[in-house]
Structures are given as structure tokens and as C-alpha cells.
């Protein structure tokens, strides 16, 4: 499961807000997602999963573990 930081709301590199993104997160439990978000310690961590209704399903958690 690839993970990393991307720069959002930016016109130029390293000028926006960092966002942690975890791809292929389908196998993670909600508790694991919360723990990973706490570990990244960013304003938000977004988990990318498959969806039957859209292109992707996204779940986001704060560094405090709130969805």
C-alpha cells in the first residue's frame, strides 16, 4: 500500500498544505486508518479505496484520529 505526502492548495512546489495519502487502503480497518493518521501527524490523512458507486472512495482522518 503506497503512502506519501502531497502538496495541496499550492501554485508552486512546497508552498501549500501537506496532505498524507494512503493508496490501496481497502484492507485497512477503521482503527488502523486512525492509527496511521495519528502517526503521519498531518492536518489530514486521506485513504483511497475502491468504490462500487464512484471512481474511488475516500476517507479522511485528522491527526487526532477524528474522521
Amino acid at each position: 500500500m503506497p503512502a506519501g505526502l502531497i502538496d495541496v492548495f499550492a501554485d508552486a512546489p512546497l508552498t501549500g498544505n501537506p496532505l498524507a495519502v494512503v493508496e490501496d487502503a481497502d484492507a485497512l480497518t477503521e482503527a488502523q486508518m486512525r492509527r496511521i493518521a495519528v502517526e503521519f501527524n498531518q492536518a489530514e490523512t486521506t485513504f483511497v479505496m475502491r468504490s462500487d458507486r464512484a471512481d474511488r472512495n475516500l476517507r479522511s482522518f485528522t491527526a487526532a484520529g477524528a474522521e
Side-chain angles (χ1 to χ4, degrees), residues 3 6 10 12 16-18 21 26 31 34 39-40 47 49 51 61-62 66:
I6 61 171
N17 299 335
V21 177
D26 300 283
R34 290 181 192 282
E39 185 71 22
F40 267 116
F47 297 86
M49 297 167 285
S51 173
F61 294 84
T62 67

Side-chain angles (χ1 to χ4, degrees), residues 1 20 22 27-42 44-47 59-67:
M1 125 188 46
V22 178
L28 295 175
T29 66
E30 184 172 311
Q32 289 172 318
M33 289 184 216
R34 290 181 192 282
R35 287 197 309 266
I36 291 168
V38 170
E39 185 71 22
F40 267 116
N41 198 32
Q42 296 299 313
E44 286 189 10
T45 299
T46 297
F47 297 86
R59 291 184 73 180
S60 295
F61 294 84
T62 67
E67 186 168 16

